[in-house]
Amino acid sequence: MDFELHYTAGQEEFRKEVRAFIEENAYKEPLEVVDPMKIPPEMWNKGREIQRKLGAKGWYAPGYAKEYGGGGLDREHRAVLAEEFAKIRLERRWPIASAGSTEVSAIHSSGLMSYGTEDQKKRLLPHLLKGEWYGFQAFTEPDAGTDEASMKSTAVRKGDVYVINGTKVFVGHSPPPIHPDYLYWPAVTDPKAPRHENISAFFVPGDLPGITYTPLELIAAEGSKWEVTCEDVQCPADRLIGEENKGWLVTQATLAAEHGGGGVVAPHLSSLSLRFIDYCKNTKRNGQPISRDPRIQDLLVHLYIEDQITRLWGLRNLAMASGQIPRVRYTGTQTSLHNKRHSPEMGKIFMEILGPHCLIDDPELKILVGEVEHQVRLADVTHIGGTPETQQIMMSRGLGLGRGARQAAR
């Protein structure tokens, strides 16, 4: 099956409209910041302003239904948006990382879409899909990361509120002192119920009394990270997502999206691997291009193959999500597992080819504006969204293997 995208004349006209919008809102000169942990508040605020503009046009959630605030666009129009935003990022004239996100995070919308009531969707989804709200995915706790069923946060119903207590760590992306509009917060609502049947999910307003935000100092992350504590926070009961004690299902829909189950349009030109390959072709060492070394050629070919796998799996998953081909349960987790295995591998290849030069963040000497240094530093951060071992367990469930499948067969 042909997963590649082909465009009509009308879609190419749409591309011109998108490019005009981008030029109107982009920086005039290339940025020097590439590390998402160093995003200044001014850049973050500019990115949020652009997201609201995109939301007003239906482009921030282009694949969602218009009745909820989305754009109702087909796969090809969404691909045009992705490609054009990839181009401006390559020019480094766009806010970086989450500050420059140009599409609503399915991590925040998928649980609500899958298990929210119609009333919840109509009240809450438009704020997300129009870029009006920014939130923290507050899942990880000091003693509960991958195993969410072990979380200690609690939510006790008292009248028209839930009183929430607990602490979440390594959450968010916004730079200090910027706090979120809401916290996507799972908590135990029935301590006596079995695991997986005792959790509820909430969109807790981020400015309620009793919420404390503490920025964390980390060596590597995909943005600024926070510790968030709720102490007797009174969350309105209408911020419950789905049904009470059904939060495990809500969070699983979120994790499926986080693992890539919805697929992606992966514009080829945005790939760091391909840009690194070009760097090696055009940079000389001992009088000849780095890529002329046979050993290095083998490493670069490996990078290229892995990059193509990522791109094609993303298009395959998108075709499944769009109904173009039958859906297979494990493919999102498969893509996530591949990326988590490849990230440390990529860091090692960069180091093997360039040595300590990879670690230099000096403005005059850093490689590819510092992206190589950032990738090497981030290479082993593979726990986000679940460790590689967790992805394997989730794949086995999708294949009908493992303890759960055996118990169901009895």
Side-chain angles (χ1 to χ4, degrees):
M1 165 154 270
D2 181 12
F3 294 141
E4 298 293 348
L5 298 160
H6 308 280
Y7 301 107
T8 65
Q11 290 159 355
E12 292 297 345
E13 284 299 313
F14 177 68
R15 187 185 301 277
K16 294 178 183 178
E17 181 184 354
V18 173
R19 190 67 195 183
F21 173 89
I22 290 173
E23 286 297 335
E24 181 181 335
N25 291 280
Y27 291 103
K28 302 306 178 186
E29 300 295 332
L31 298 170
E32 292 300 323
V33 178
V34 299
D35 187 343
M37 296 177 67
K38 297 179 181 179
I39 295 175
E42 297 77 18
M43 182 187 295
W44 183 270
N45 291 332
K46 177 180 176 65
R48 290 291 296 121
E49 180 185 355
I50 293 173
Q51 288 163 6
R52 287 187 285 269
K53 290 181 180 179
L54 288 167
K57 297 175 76 66
W59 292 357
Y60 190 57
Y64 288 76
K66 290 184 178 180
E67 63 178 306
Y68 297 127
L73 298 182
D74 60 25
R75 185 176 73 127
E76 285 71 23
H77 283 84
R78 289 156 56 198
V80 168
L81 286 165
E83 289 173 354
E84 292 307 311
F85 285 121
K87 290 177 184 177
I88 195 66
R89 290 189 182 99
L90 193 61
E91 296 174 19
R92 306 201 324 274
R93 295 196 295 118
W94 200 254
I96 67 169
S98 294
S101 173
T102 51
E103 186 167 354
V104 65
S105 171
I107 291 173
H108 290 260
S109 59
S110 56
L112 180 56
M113 281 293 296
S114 298
Y115 294 102
T117 66
E118 193 60 29
D119 173 67
Q120 291 168 350
K121 292 177 184 178
K122 289 180 177 178
R123 281 189 296 105
L124 302 175
L125 266 179
H127 295 292
L128 272 63
L129 304 189
K130 293 182 178 180
E132 296 169 356
W133 284 358
Y134 164 73
F136 285 3
Q137 179 194 2
F139 283 20
T140 302
E141 296 188 357
D143 297 313
T146 298
D147 184 11
E148 289 181 27
S150 297
M151 67 176 57
K152 301 296 190 296
S153 290
T154 60
V156 179
R157 181 72 183 258
K158 290 189 177 181
D160 59 356
V161 301
Y162 282 88
V163 179
I164 296 180
N165 285 279
T167 297
K168 307 289 184 173
V169 291
F170 308 127
V171 299
H173 293 98
S174 60
I178 298 172
H179 296 166
D181 299 299
Y182 68 94
L183 300 165
Y184 181 10
W185 189 290
V188 174
T189 43
D190 186 353
K192 297 180 180 180
R195 284 165 56 94
H196 306 157
E197 298 177 18
N198 61 348
I199 294 171
S200 300
F202 302 88
F203 276 4
V204 181
D207 59 354
L208 291 179
I211 300 178
T212 302
Y213 297 93
T214 305
L216 301 175
E217 294 289 336
L218 304 175
I219 295 174
E222 295 179 327
S224 298
K225 292 297 176 183
W226 298 78
E227 176 182 286
V228 184
T229 298
C230 285
E231 186 173 354
D232 293 331
V233 172
Q234 298 190 29
C235 174
D238 64 4
R239 288 300 190 93
L240 173 71
I241 306 302
E243 300 178 30
E244 186 173 275
N245 298 328
K246 299 296 184 182
W248 178 259
L249 296 175
V250 178
T251 59
Q252 291 309 293
T254 291
L255 294 175
E258 186 173 23
H259 299 157
V264 292
V265 178
H268 218 187
L269 53 82
S270 65
S271 163
L272 175 58
S273 291
L274 296 188
R275 281 179 280 133
F276 182 79
I277 291 170
D278 284 339
Y279 172 86
C280 291
K281 288 180 178 179
N282 297 306
T283 303
K284 291 186 176 182
R285 177 192 291 167
N286 299 324
Q288 66 177 10
I290 294 173
S291 61
R292 292 287 297 275
D293 185 317
R295 181 181 59 85
I296 290 176
Q297 287 177 0
D298 286 344
L299 295 172
L300 296 180
V301 166
H302 182 76
L303 278 181
Y304 181 82
I305 291 172
E306 296 300 316
D307 178 78
Q308 290 296 305
I309 291 172
T310 300
R311 183 179 72 90
L312 292 173
W313 277 0
L315 289 172
R316 176 203 60 184
N317 293 356
L318 182 65
M320 287 182 180
S322 304
Q324 185 181 358
I325 58 176
R327 191 159 201 163
V328 180
R329 286 184 61 192
Y330 64 82
T331 51
T333 304
Q334 178 190 48
T335 304
S336 177
L337 176 60
H338 173 264
N339 293 338
K340 288 173 180 291
R341 284 177 169 173
H342 181 51
S343 179
E345 193 175 49
M346 184 187 297
K348 290 176 182 176
I349 288 175
F350 287 179
M351 282 291 292
E352 188 167 347
I353 293 175
L354 298 180
H357 194 179
C358 281
L359 306 176
I360 295 176
D361 195 25
D362 181 89
E364 301 287 330
L365 301 173
K366 58 188 178 183
I367 303 170
L368 296 180
V369 206
E371 288 186 86
V372 168
E373 183 274 338
H374 180 251
Q375 169 60 33
V376 171
R377 184 157 39 90
L378 196 65
D380 291 318
V381 182
T382 59
H383 63 280
I384 300 170
T387 63
E389 292 76 16
T390 301
Q391 312 305 309
Q392 291 175 288
I393 293 171
M394 295 182 70
M395 274 192 69
S396 71
R397 291 174 180 169
L399 289 165
L401 304 174
R403 181 180 59 190
R406 290 195 300 271
Q407 290 174 343
R410 289 175 181 171

